[in-house]
Amino acid sequence: MRTISRRALKSTSQVRSVMMAAAQMGSKREGNISDAFVSLSGAARPPLPQRFLELKKTLVAGHEDTVIQSWNRLLAELKYENEIIAKAGPQIIPSLSFQNLDSDLPKLQEELRKRGVAVIRGVIPEDEARAFKGEIEEYVKRNPQTKAFPPDDPQVYELYWSAPQLRARAHPNLLRVQAALMKLWNTSDPESVISTSQPMSYADRLRIRQPGDATFALGPHIDGGSVERWELHGYGRGGVYNKIFEGSWEDYDPWDASTRVDAVIDNYNGLGACSMFRMHQGWLSMSATAPLEGTLMVNPAIKLSTAYLLLRPFFRPIKEADQISSDEYLAAENWEFTGEEMTSELQGATPGHGQELNADLHPHLDLEKTMVHVPPINPGDYVAWHCDTIHAVDKVHKGQSDSSVLYIPVCPVTEINARYLVRQRNAFLAGTPGPDFPGGRGEADHVDRQTEAHLRSYAAREGLQAFGFEKLDPTPTDTSGGRKATVLANEILGF
């Protein structure tokens, strides 16, 4: 992509050494989901250090004119696509039936890749999904010490090992859906050490959001790091976004898994910052929810929104929004490359926190209109979105009943994921939170905490493999790199 000076490489190596050391530290301090986001925690967002200015210059050095031209093309495409999204609303989100998964997925594949979001109906029987919530509420009652956000009116619980969470993660239907969704991805290099044939389990939190709640008002954001998307020792290790920084965003493939195998997505050991490669984020619903009822909102333009987020720090308005009309402010003619006056700013990115977006920092995304609700959801439905998708939750839950979900992402077999799974397996056995999450005793002293014996009583072999308790099986359809990934993962897991 570019020639980097020896001095820059030395600086990058030093920074990476510091960050990797931080990531290998012991368990994190106690906390909750608000610690992962500046907007929820109220933490300060100081200016980024000078090294980020040097990084930005390095990313576009030698092809500034090409980047400027690509920015202008991007703004025109965004304006066109934004109108389509705003007009369609929730109907733009592809919906599939679990019963017809094998036929629905190929038919909707192109649209799924364009939108980056999917609703899969009826993955788990409705009665079973509803019962999960009741069990969790009883578990919390028996363990009033359970941490949550906010502490005085819980909406998001720091629970990772309740029986319903484990049963859901090990459910054969959900495992089948996860394997199917991974097939939306491709590997441009068949030697890439990654297998998408069988998922690895990632233990995340759960939400039981009550009607009227306005505290869990998490605005537009992207998980999986923030400044790491620009860093050479972050996503840059795999060249994930090279095409965008080269001024050729049209050639960028959001679904190329090869570029993400070596990417480091958590350089700062943040609370709740994900270090495992999650191809899709997702949740399983335990309740019926509709738009405005405390549900998920997404920006269903994965390629365009990613390109805009990454190029935005290189451009600035000539005239501010309060000086001219909205159309004039957004016009390409009103935006210029920062050039010699470039700063270290990466809009909405703070080390150790999730990437946040808003209308002021990212005006061309027209988030007020393009953040659309997922369609009405029933218990047992599964919603999945590409790991770079901008998403949010309703600012206020205006429904009449709770909006409850189990967060369950989709993770392939890679070396990084296998190493995380070993640490997560140990955390499960100890009853402490997963390695990515706020630390402390967690559920170690909880009444009715699940054990390996419990897990083995209801998980089939595929579920135990996903949890790291059984050896992974090689798959005939895997690439040569996929077969290597399986062998390596088994070694790491101790098999």
Side-chain angles (χ1 to χ4, degrees):
M1 172 185 170
R2 53 191 176 268
T3 301
I4 304 171
S5 70
R6 191 171 294 177
R7 180 181 176 185
L9 280 172
K10 183 178 180 182
S11 174
T12 296
S13 177
Q14 290 171 339
V15 170
R16 184 181 168 206
S17 296
V18 172
M19 298 313 169
M20 291 302 287
Q24 292 168 1
M25 287 165 48
S27 62
K28 303 178 182 181
R29 67 171 175 83
E30 294 188 34
N32 58 50
I33 194 171
S34 69
D35 294 294
F37 299 96
V38 171
S39 63
L40 286 183
S41 66
R45 182 174 272 148
L48 292 175
Q50 183 74 8
R51 64 183 175 85
F52 286 99
L53 170 58
E54 300 305 318
L55 170 65
K56 287 170 65 176
K57 290 179 178 178
T58 299
L59 288 172
V60 297
H63 45 267
E64 292 87 346
D65 288 344
T66 307
V67 170
I68 293 169
Q69 293 166 14
S70 76
W71 168 261
N72 291 333
R73 296 194 306 273
L74 177 61
L75 295 191
E77 189 66 24
L78 267 174
K79 183 177 181 181
Y80 172 78
E81 190 63 30
N82 287 348
E83 292 176 358
I84 294 175
I85 294 170
K87 184 177 180 180
Q91 298 307 312
I92 205 166
I93 308 299
S95 288
L96 302 77
S97 164
F98 175 74
Q99 286 189 332
N100 301 317
L101 187 63
D102 291 339
S103 58
D104 282 357
L105 200 59
K107 286 190 294 187
L108 293 171
Q109 182 170 279
E110 184 177 347
E111 194 66 12
L112 288 166
R113 284 178 169 158
K114 182 175 183 179
R115 298 301 165 202
V117 188
V119 176
I120 301 94
R121 306 286 186 184
V123 174
I124 289 180
E126 188 168 325
D127 289 347
E128 187 176 353
R130 285 186 186 276
F132 283 167
K133 187 184 59 150
E135 284 186 57
I136 290 166
E137 289 172 332
E138 283 300 314
Y139 185 55
V140 172
K141 254 184 219 179
R142 290 193 295 273
N143 297 282
Q145 74 273 29
T146 300
K147 294 188 179 299
F149 172 81
D152 58 340
D153 186 20
Q155 311 294 323
V156 180
Y157 291 87
E158 295 296 315
L159 291 175
Y160 305 89
W161 312 120
S162 69
Q165 286 171 294
L166 296 183
R167 292 208 304 274
R169 293 174 199 146
H171 201 290
N173 291 5
L174 188 60
L175 293 170
R176 182 184 164 202
V177 167
Q178 290 174 320
L181 289 172
M182 287 195 290
K183 295 307 179 186
L184 291 172
W185 291 70
N186 63 82
T187 49
S188 57
D189 178 4
E191 296 302 317
S192 297
V193 186
I194 179 172
S195 171
T196 58
S197 297
Q198 48 197 323
M200 285 186 154
S201 183
Y202 184 83
D204 206 334
R205 304 175 173 97
L206 63 91
R207 179 187 83 216
I208 302 179
R209 193 179 185 195
Q210 302 299 331
D213 173 66
T215 57
F216 187 51
L218 185 52
H221 67 282
I222 308 171
D223 297 299
S226 58
V227 297
E228 289 89 348
R229 286 185 166 80
W230 290 268
E231 288 181 319
L232 301 179
H233 59 290
Y235 285 75
R237 288 192 66 204
V240 176
Y241 306 119
N242 281 7
K243 293 296 184 182
I244 295 173
F245 294 127
E246 289 171 349
S248 180
W249 60 263
E250 293 94 338
D251 297 326
Y252 161 64
D253 182 3
W255 303 95
D256 183 3
S258 292
T259 63
R260 299 190 185 241
V261 172
D262 295 323
V264 176
I265 57 182
D266 175 21
N267 274 328
Y268 300 88
N269 204 34
L271 294 186
C274 182
S275 55
M276 201 166 176
F277 172 27
R278 300 181 293 183
M279 288 182 146
H280 302 261
Q281 291 178 248
W283 50 244
L284 178 74
S285 183
M286 300 183 290
S287 63
T289 57
L292 301 178
E293 296 181 355
T295 193
L296 178 72
M297 303 177 72
V298 294
N299 178 285
I302 182 62
K303 186 172 183 174
L304 298 179
S305 62
T306 301
Y308 181 81
L309 169 73
L310 296 172
L311 292 179
R312 170 68 179 90
F314 300 95
F315 294 86
R316 66 181 182 185
I318 298 170
K319 291 186 178 181
E320 297 296 337
D322 59 356
Q323 297 176 311
I324 49 180
S325 70
S326 176
D327 286 344
E328 289 172 320
Y329 175 68
L330 296 175
E333 296 77 20
N334 188 51
W335 289 76
E336 63 181 3
F337 185 71
T338 50
E340 293 299 320
E341 297 182 29
M342 191 179 293
T343 69
S344 64
E345 184 177 13
L346 299 171
Q347 284 81 1
T350 303
H353 294 79
Q355 172 70 49
E356 300 194 66
L357 303 93
N358 62 49
D360 291 333
L361 297 178
H362 307 92
H364 296 93
L365 291 177
D366 200 6
L367 295 170
E368 289 295 324
K369 295 180 180 177
T370 62
M371 292 298 295
V372 300
H373 291 92
V374 294
I377 299 294
N378 292 314
D381 291 347
Y382 182 70
V383 181
W385 58 99
H386 185 286
C387 51
D388 285 347
T389 296
I390 303 170
H391 57 290
V393 295
D394 279 319
K395 291 180 180 179
V396 180
H397 179 354
K398 298 181 180 179
Q400 300 301 311
S401 59
D402 59 79
S403 173
S404 303
V405 304
L406 302 176
Y407 295 109
I408 306 176
V410 180
C411 305
V413 177
T414 69
E415 178 182 355
I416 288 175
N417 286 4
R419 294 192 185 283
Y420 183 89
L421 193 60
V422 170
R423 298 166 63 209
Q424 179 178 272
R425 184 175 62 188
N426 293 337
F428 165 59
L429 295 174
T432 55
D436 277 342
F437 297 91
R441 294 285 295 168
E443 294 161 73
D445 305 314
H446 274 39
V447 176
D448 294 333
R449 174 170 69 83
Q450 297 293 283
T451 65
E452 181 182 349
H454 289 111
L455 176 65
R456 289 186 178 277
S457 72
Y458 45 70
R461 177 173 170 78
E462 291 80 4
L464 293 170
Q465 288 174 319
F467 278 76
F469 283 100
E470 291 287 348
K471 185 177 180 179
L472 299 171
D473 296 322
T475 306
T477 56
D478 261 337
T479 61
S480 57
R483 291 189 290 274
K484 290 176 187 174
T486 302
V487 171
L488 180 58
N490 281 329
E491 290 177 359
I492 292 169
L493 291 166
F495 298 114

